[in-house]
Amino acid sequence: MTMPERKFELPGIHDLSKEQEKALNLPVENPHLIVGGPGTGKSVLALIRARRHRRDNIEYQFLVYTHLLKMANDQLFDGDLDSQTWDAWYRNIFKKISKQEVPKHPPDKNNYPPIDWHRATGIIDEITEVTEQEFPVLIIDEGQDMPREFYDSLVNLGWERFYVVADQNQQITAQKSSRQDIQDSLDIDPNRVIDLRHNYRNNYQVARLAREFYTGDPASLPPELPRKVSGPIPILYTYDQGKLDILAHRIRQLSDRYPKQLIGVIAPNNKVRESYLNALKSSIFSGDNPKPSIMTFSSNIRTNIAFNRGGIVVINAQACKGLEFDTVILADIDEHIFQSDDSDRTRKLFYVMVARARERVFMFIKRNASSAVESILPTDPDVLQRKELS
């Protein structure tokens, strides 16, 4: 049985704020950078910009970092979105222009062969003529996750029209660009960068918790806190290892209570993702509503996830960029890799994960687990409550 529909649509032009209208109405001819923290509507602006280009018959290409974000944007867009992941698109355009396959490094631990940017740059520098006369406008979502060499190589090929939305404080990938990198590569005057500050996604309690993980990097300030209204304070649950069935029952119970809402279970690795997925699917729960859709997405399992319906989605942390859920559950946070000499990296990850939630956040940690992650968690019970789950 199909799960109930949830609100999942782009806002109308009349729903935009003045700062968003300013960012939307920038001229097509120049490169632009729009910066803002989680929930400020960067991706929404990029999609509305693409919709406007389609209406005006302006050729564009919408680029994202992950396949899952591409899927969400495709569903959110009104019509066919000309969208690709940046990596696949770049490899294709490189071959089209240079008549060569993009140079690659040996496959990494995930069997993915990264682009050899040094060799690729050398090939581009030798190209004397580009046959394509007019390049499409590039609309780039989560632009901080593309390496600087990506931008440099496109400029060297003759690209001039960019519309990049990014947040340096949401970098959770090895390949990345700072705000300064993007400005320099695209030759954007710092005074022309638009900073978005208002939070349109999170309620006060979620936004307050997310702010605890802001690293203090002034490249983009955290969004202003929404108006404070009563709501559920995020909770960290400690549970006994081997009692995952109890957690699965609680999650199913929550889904039954809010059947129109989408719950995102964000795992630190594939092992945890698979454990929670199997526990949820095998959980015996008799509620008031039909059994929710229990979905997953990974590099090996690319399920078609319906973001416009209620249900439960279990994903890895790296796949959550740019997504939005009604409730976010951070599974087994003790298994996140924590480097004491680079705690900002973990803070950024939690900043991103927590901010995916609109209304509620729950964290789960195994009892007696040895984890330094707890050192970055807030101790104020008004920000994060702690409870034992027996």
Side-chain angles (χ1 to χ4, degrees), residues 43 47 62-75 81 83 85 141-142 145 297 307 319-324:
S43 295
L47 287 168
F62 197 100
L63 300 179
V64 297
Y65 188 79
T66 68
H67 290 279
L68 192 52
L69 180 55
K70 177 184 181 304
M71 183 185 299
N73 285 343
D74 287 346
Q75 293 179 27
L81 177 64
S83 172
T85 59
D141 194 5
E142 301 291 344
D145 290 328
F297 192 97
F307 288 90
C320 78
K321 293 299 294 291
L323 303 181
E324 179 180 294

Side-chain angles (χ1 to χ4, degrees), residues 179-372:
R179 171 177 179 158
Q180 191 66 53
D181 287 338
I182 299 173
Q183 289 175 190
D184 291 347
S185 293
L186 305 186
D187 194 23
I188 299 174
D189 187 321
N191 295 320
R192 294 177 56 215
V193 176
I194 293 182
D195 288 89
L196 305 177
R197 293 298 315 282
H198 190 74
N199 189 335
Y200 299 94
R201 177 192 298 144
N202 315 125
N203 66 13
Y204 175 83
Q205 288 75 17
V206 172
R208 181 68 183 82
L209 176 60
R211 182 172 284 211
E212 290 290 322
F213 302 108
Y214 171 63
T215 64
D217 187 340
S220 62
L221 298 174
E224 297 171 356
L225 289 175
R227 183 170 60 92
K228 187 174 182 179
V229 295
S230 59
I233 296 174
I235 302 174
L236 170 64
Y237 283 108
T238 300
Y239 76 100
D240 290 321
Q241 192 165 354
K243 297 293 185 179
L244 192 54
D245 57 325
I246 296 177
L247 299 187
H249 183 86
R250 290 289 186 98
I251 297 171
R252 288 284 305 277
Q253 189 177 44
L254 184 67
S255 181
D256 188 68
R257 187 181 307 158
Y258 304 103
K260 291 186 177 182
Q261 297 193 359
L262 190 62
I263 298 174
V265 180
I266 303 177
N269 53 54
N270 264 324
K271 182 180 178 181
V272 173
R273 178 185 61 81
E274 291 172 357
S275 297
Y276 272 73
L277 179 67
N278 293 333
L280 285 164
K281 286 188 172 182
S282 62
S283 176
I284 299 174
F285 178 82
S286 180
D288 297 326
N289 296 288
K291 182 178 179 179
S293 298
I294 301 173
M295 304 160 282
T296 192
F297 192 97
S298 69
S299 58
N300 299 321
I301 305 173
R302 295 184 180 175
T303 310
N304 185 26
I305 294 174
F307 288 90
N308 63 339
R309 296 191 179 278
I312 304 170
V313 180
V314 189
I315 58 175
N316 289 332
Q318 298 295 331
C320 78
K321 293 299 294 291
L323 303 181
E324 179 180 294
F325 301 98
D326 300 291
T327 295
V328 161
I329 294 172
L330 304 188
D332 293 2
I333 62 171
D334 50 283
E335 294 207 23
H336 281 288
I337 297 173
F338 183 87
Q339 298 175 334
S340 57
D341 60 342
D342 189 14
S343 62
D344 280 359
R345 184 174 181 179
T346 308
R347 288 182 181 277
K348 286 182 177 181
L349 179 60
F350 274 71
Y351 186 57
V352 170
M353 294 190 298
V354 168
R356 300 308 98 203
R358 295 178 60 188
E359 299 180 10
R360 288 173 294 275
V361 174
F362 301 101
M363 301 183 189
F364 294 144
I365 188 170
K366 296 188 291 293
R367 197 182 313 278
N368 299 322
S370 176
S371 174

Side-chain angles (χ1 to χ4, degrees), residues 10-41:
L10 288 175
I13 299 299
H14 60 279
D15 295 320
L16 300 180
S17 66
K18 289 184 178 179
E19 64 176 2
Q20 289 177 322
E21 286 183 359
K22 180 181 179 181
L24 179 63
N25 294 322
L26 293 168
V28 177
E29 294 76 17
N30 307 115
H32 303 290
L33 174 60
I34 292 84
V35 171
T40 54

Side-chain angles (χ1 to χ4, degrees), residues 99-118:
K99 311 304 181 187
Q100 301 181 49
E101 296 286 345
V102 68
K104 299 180 287 288
H105 289 293
D108 59 18
K109 62 180 181 180
N110 297 317
N111 201 32
Y112 164 78
I115 295 172
D116 185 333
W117 289 106
H118 178 74

Side-chain angles (χ1 to χ4, degrees), residues 109-169:
K109 62 180 181 180
N110 297 317
N111 201 32
Y112 164 78
I115 295 172
D116 185 333
W117 289 106
H118 178 74
R119 291 166 57 202
T121 300
I123 293 172
I124 289 173
D125 288 344
E126 293 178 359
I127 297 175
T128 58
E129 181 179 355
V130 178
T131 56
E132 195 166 343
Q133 295 301 311
E134 184 174 348
F135 294 113
V137 177
L138 290 183
I139 302 176
I140 303 176
D141 194 5
E142 301 291 344
Q144 74 279 352
D145 290 328
M146 292 71 165
R148 175 168 180 170
E149 294 88 348
F150 167 72
Y151 295 103
D152 288 340
S153 62
L154 292 176
V155 171
N156 289 341
L157 286 170
W159 247 279
E160 297 179 345
R161 300 183 296 174
F162 294 84
Y163 190 87
V164 183
V165 299
D167 178 11
Q168 183 172 317
N169 284 293

